[in-house]
């Protein structure tokens, strides 16, 4: 018996597990885009810790899991060759690469591409999603665990501009939004097997928002799915509706949750709080039309709400009232969303200019910028003080020298 316990203990110690420093999905493990450790504050050529070559196309954000950086890409004339790249987070060495073939439609707007949705991880597996509605599950060494071509089951689930919703995995359920103006759905898959746990018929309209995680103090975490009709909170295991906001919402930028409040891109920004006595099980706290985001999703950091509008202006607002407190022109256009660490926000525009904005004072201040000199459309990841950002051609790790 003692020998058996020793063997089991050794196996557990050798098994990779999620740690606080990981960044496991689009806008982070908890969908807030806020990191625990402070990031770099002075950017220069010496801030580039390493650079790795990618090739192909890719708008998806990098994720970081157990010292591995994962990015997806696509190649080929029809963008039907699907790639997953894995790099050592410390050295930039390529650890492995896997290539699959798309089973669904690969037509996209020229600005977008098939590798637009961001991958995610539960700390044990990697889940890669593509505009062709192909989902690939791999272990951390790059071995394929399962593969789902959702077009086989739902042949009309696509749109002519391309799909871009990213994945989340919650309590063993992988949630994928496949929402369009034809066969529109959101699906929950068993993360271990890829089998369908539930499927929701969704509003028939093109939708590029991503599901987000909402932690609940008493009870299981929820998944929020957003569409032009509003926001639906669902139980990840069953797909059961917990509450429903029907006031309409953006189909581009996604909501963000902070301290139990959901900030929805709806009529500007609308702040929601779950309330069993309110209509739909959720109450509206305030709405501020002057806080309309551009393409970037909003972020809450250190008790303040921030949005990047379509003019490339960063706006800071009070989370309790929505009242604007200050604004700062940071220079766009932006396709990526802001991330935060320490006293700073980090924003990277489409021209590849990364800006560090100090938000600790009464007004925001750009304290450093650095140009990567390539088009950047992804939202960066930030782990243990280092920023990971990618273009079509390169992946960079940026840190304090």
């Amino acid at each position: 018996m003692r020998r058996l316990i020793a063997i089991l203990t050794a196996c557990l110690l050798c098994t990779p597990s999620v740690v606080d420093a990981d960044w496991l999905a689009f806008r982070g493990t908890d969908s807030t885009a806020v990191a625990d450790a402070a990031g770099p504050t002075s950017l220069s050529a010496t801030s580039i810790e390493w650079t790795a070559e990618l090739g192909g196309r890719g708008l998806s954000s990098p994720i970081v899991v157990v010292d591995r950086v994962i990015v997806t890409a696509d190649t080929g004339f029809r963008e039907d060759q699907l790639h997953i790249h894995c790099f050592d987070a410390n050295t930039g060495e390529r650890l492995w690469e896997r290539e699959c073939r798309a089973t669904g439609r690969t037509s996209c707007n020229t600005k977008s591409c098939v590798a637009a949705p961001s991958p995610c991880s539960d700390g044990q597996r990697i889940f890669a999603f593509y505009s062709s509605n192909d989902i690939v599950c791999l272990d951390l060494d790059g071995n394929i665990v399962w593969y789902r071509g959702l077009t086989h089951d739902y042949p009309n689930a696509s749109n002519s501009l391309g799909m871009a919703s990213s994945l989340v995995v919650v309590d063993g359920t992988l949630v994928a939004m496949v929402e369009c103006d034809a066969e529109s759905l959101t699906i929950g898959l068993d993360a271990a097997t890829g089998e369908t746990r539930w499927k929701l018929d969704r509003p028939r309209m093109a939708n590029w928002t991503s599901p987000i995680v909402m932690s609940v103090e008493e009870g299981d975490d929820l998944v929020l799915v957003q569409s032009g009709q509003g926001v639906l909170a669902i139980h990840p295991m069953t797909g059961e509706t917990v509450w429903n906001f029907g006031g309409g919402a953006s189909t581009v930028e996604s909501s963000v949750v902070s301290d139990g409040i959901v900030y929805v891109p709806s009529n500007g920004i609308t702040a929601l709080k779950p309330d069993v006595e309110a209509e739909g099980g959720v109450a509206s706290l305030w709405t501020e039309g002057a806080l309309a985001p551009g393409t970037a999703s909003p972020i809450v950091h250190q008790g303040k709400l921030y949005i990047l509008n379509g003019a490339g202006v960063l706006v800071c607002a009070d989370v309790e009232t929505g009242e604007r407190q200050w604004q700062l022109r940071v220079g766009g256009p932006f396709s990526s969303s802001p991330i935060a660490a320490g006293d700073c926000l980090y924003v990277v525009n489409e021209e590849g200019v990364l800006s560090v904005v100090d938000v600790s004072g009464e007004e925001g201040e750009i304290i450093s910028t650095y140009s990567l000199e390539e088009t950047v459309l992804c939202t960066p990841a930030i782990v243990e003080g280092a920023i990971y950002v990618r273009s079509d051609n390169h992946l960079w790790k940026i840190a304090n020298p």
Side-chain angles (χ1 to χ4, degrees), residues 1-16:
M1 177 62 73
R2 290 181 179 176
R3 183 171 181 271
L4 176 60
I5 292 174
I7 292 173
L8 292 174
T9 302
C11 290
L12 290 172
L13 291 174
C14 292
T15 302

Side-chain angles (χ1 to χ4, degrees), residues 83-278:
H83 301 264
I84 304 101
H85 302 274
C86 176
F87 299 90
D88 187 297
N90 298 308
T91 66
E93 176 189 1
R94 186 187 299 271
L95 300 179
W96 50 262
E97 178 185 356
R98 294 294 176 266
E99 180 181 338
C100 303
R101 185 59 60 91
T103 65
R105 296 178 182 87
T106 59
S107 59
C108 293
N109 180 278
T110 54
K111 185 175 181 178
S112 186
C113 69
V114 175
S118 297
C120 74
S121 175
D122 59 3
Q124 303 292 328
R125 293 169 288 252
I126 297 160
F127 307 95
F129 190 32
Y130 300 87
S131 177
S132 57
N133 292 337
D134 290 288
I135 303 179
V136 189
C137 173
L138 309 97
D139 64 21
L140 298 186
D141 294 322
N143 301 304
I144 293 181
V145 179
W146 54 262
Y147 193 108
R148 261 312 272 279
L150 295 179
T151 301
H152 176 77
D153 299 307
Y154 312 105
N156 295 317
S158 67
N159 69 66
S160 60
L161 298 179
M163 315 291 278
S165 298
S166 300
L167 299 170
V168 294
V169 57
V170 184
D171 296 335
T173 299
L174 183 70
V175 179
M177 293 174 61
V178 190
E179 303 194 2
C180 58
D181 50 11
E183 193 173 7
S184 189
L185 61 109
T186 288
I187 194 167
L189 306 179
D190 186 317
T193 65
E195 296 179 354
T196 301
R197 283 183 169 168
W198 49 263
K199 169 184 167 291
L200 300 179
D201 293 328
R202 297 286 288 151
R204 291 189 174 185
M205 59 181 71
N207 186 7
W208 298 276
T209 65
S210 296
I212 65 171
V213 182
M214 182 175 186
S215 297
V216 180
E217 291 184 359
E218 297 181 0
D220 298 328
D221 290 345
L222 302 177
V223 174
L224 308 186
V225 291
Q226 178 181 319
S227 74
Q229 292 187 357
V231 178
L232 195 68
I234 56 177
H235 193 285
M237 181 63 72
T238 64
E240 177 185 2
T241 298
V242 178
W243 54 259
N244 182 18
F245 168 69
S250 172
T251 57
V252 177
E253 58 273 7
S254 302
S255 301
V256 67
V257 178
S258 179
D259 293 330
I261 308 299
V262 187
Y263 300 89
V264 182
S266 172
N267 300 306
I269 293 289
T270 296
L272 304 176
K273 183 177 182 178
D275 184 348
V276 294
E277 297 182 358

Side-chain angles (χ1 to χ4, degrees), residues 279-296:
E279 181 180 357
V282 65
S284 176
L285 302 180
W286 54 261
T287 298
E288 179 51 68
L291 296 179
T295 302

